[in-house]
Amino acid sequence: MPERSIEQAVEQILRQIGEDPEREGLVKTPTRVARSFEFLTKGYHEDPKTVINGALFTEDYSEMIVLRDLDFFSLCEHHILPFFGKANVAYIPKHKIVGISKLARLVDVFARRLQVQERLTTQIANMLMDELDPQGVAVVLQAEHLCMRMRGVEKQNSVVLTSAMLGVFRSHQETRQEFMTLVNGGNVR
Ligand SMILES: [Zn+2]
C-alpha cells in the first residue's frame, strides 16, 4: 500500500537526519507527511483533458479571455520543495470557450505534481491549445522557489518568470502586448 511506504520512508528520513521518530512531536509526522504528499501530488491522478472537455461551450466570442493572478502551488522536482506564485492564463477563442473555473482547475492539475516551472508553463499552454483549438494561448507564471530562497542559492526576493505564447500571441506583437498590459495590472486602451 503506497501510503504506508511513504510513511516508512519519512520515518527513515527522520532517523537519518538524527531525529527520534518515537518522540511525541514526531510520532504522527510520517502519517501527516504521507497525507500531505497525497494532496500535493494529486495531479497525477487527474486527467487535464477531462477537466477541459467537461466544460466546453460553442460560442461566437473572439476577444481575449484572461485569468489573472491565480495563486498556484507546486513542488520543484529537483528538491521536492515548494515553488509558488501567480499564474496568468489567456486565450482568444475560435469557436470554443471553456468555463473560467476550469482554467484554474487545469493549472492545479499540472501544479500538483513534481514540476519545473518551465514545463508547468508549457503544459498548461499546450493543453489549452490542443483542446480548445483557439486563435492563441498565453501563459505567464511568476513564482518564488523555496529551493533557492531557503538554501540561499539566489538573491532573496527573486522571482522567476516563465511564459509560453502560442498562436496569435506569438505571431502578433500587439496581441501579446495587450495581454502583458492586462497582466501587469494596466487597462487596455
Ligand atoms: Zn529546486
Side-chain angles (χ1 to χ4, degrees):
M1 169 194 239
E3 199 179 321
R4 183 99 219 131
S5 52
I6 291 178
E7 287 179 31
Q8 284 164 349
V10 172
E11 198 182 314
Q12 181 78 2
I13 289 170
L14 289 174
R15 281 186 216 285
Q16 290 298 321
I17 62 171
E19 264 294 356
D20 169 17
E22 309 299 320
R23 76 177 171 83
E24 199 186 349
L26 292 179
V27 171
K28 290 184 178 158
T29 296
T31 311
R32 289 193 199 98
V33 174
R35 290 216 186 101
S36 162
F37 255 90
E38 202 179 308
F39 179 78
L40 297 175
T41 60
K42 67 189 166 96
Y44 288 113
H45 310 291
E46 293 169 329
D47 179 10
K49 282 187 188 175
T50 312
V51 169
I52 297 292
N53 286 323
L56 278 183
F57 308 98
T58 305
E59 191 66 63
D60 241 356
Y61 184 82
S62 56
E63 300 298 323
M64 193 182 299
I65 297 167
V66 184
L67 179 64
R68 190 170 83 184
D69 285 344
L70 175 77
D71 286 321
F72 78 89
F73 299 87
S74 191
L75 292 171
C76 99
E77 69 183 16
H78 302 134
H79 304 93
I80 318 188
L81 284 171
F83 69 95
F84 57 94
K86 303 283 186 190
N88 301 283
V89 180
Y91 70 102
I92 300 178
K94 201 184 285 172
H95 42 257
K96 281 186 275 187
I97 62 166
V98 67
I100 296 282
S101 67
K102 301 301 174 184
L103 291 179
R105 276 282 318 279
L106 181 69
V107 170
D108 221 38
V109 167
F110 285 122
R112 300 295 189 190
R113 301 175 182 197
L114 299 186
Q115 280 287 7
V116 294
Q117 187 177 332
E118 295 84 344
R119 188 174 66 230
L120 176 58
T121 310
T122 54
Q123 280 180 334
I124 297 164
N126 289 338
M127 183 58 64
L128 286 172
M129 204 65 193
D130 290 348
E131 297 304 308
L132 290 179
D133 186 30
Q135 298 179 55
V137 172
V139 177
V140 170
L141 302 188
Q142 46 195 81
E144 30 185 312
H145 291 242
L146 290 190
C147 66
M148 293 199 295
R149 297 197 50 184
M150 291 181 75
R151 296 164 63 243
V153 176
E154 287 279 311
K155 286 195 187 74
Q156 295 297 303
N157 300 320
S158 62
V159 169
V160 178
L161 277 169
T162 47
S163 73
M165 302 284 160
L166 304 176
V168 286
F169 288 92
R170 180 181 282 270
S171 56
H172 288 73
Q173 206 210 318
E174 225 170 78
T175 307
R176 191 163 60 238
Q177 194 53 50
E178 182 185 340
F179 168 68
M180 292 313 290
T181 305
L182 282 167
V183 163
N184 293 322
N187 294 309
V188 181
R189 270 286 70 214

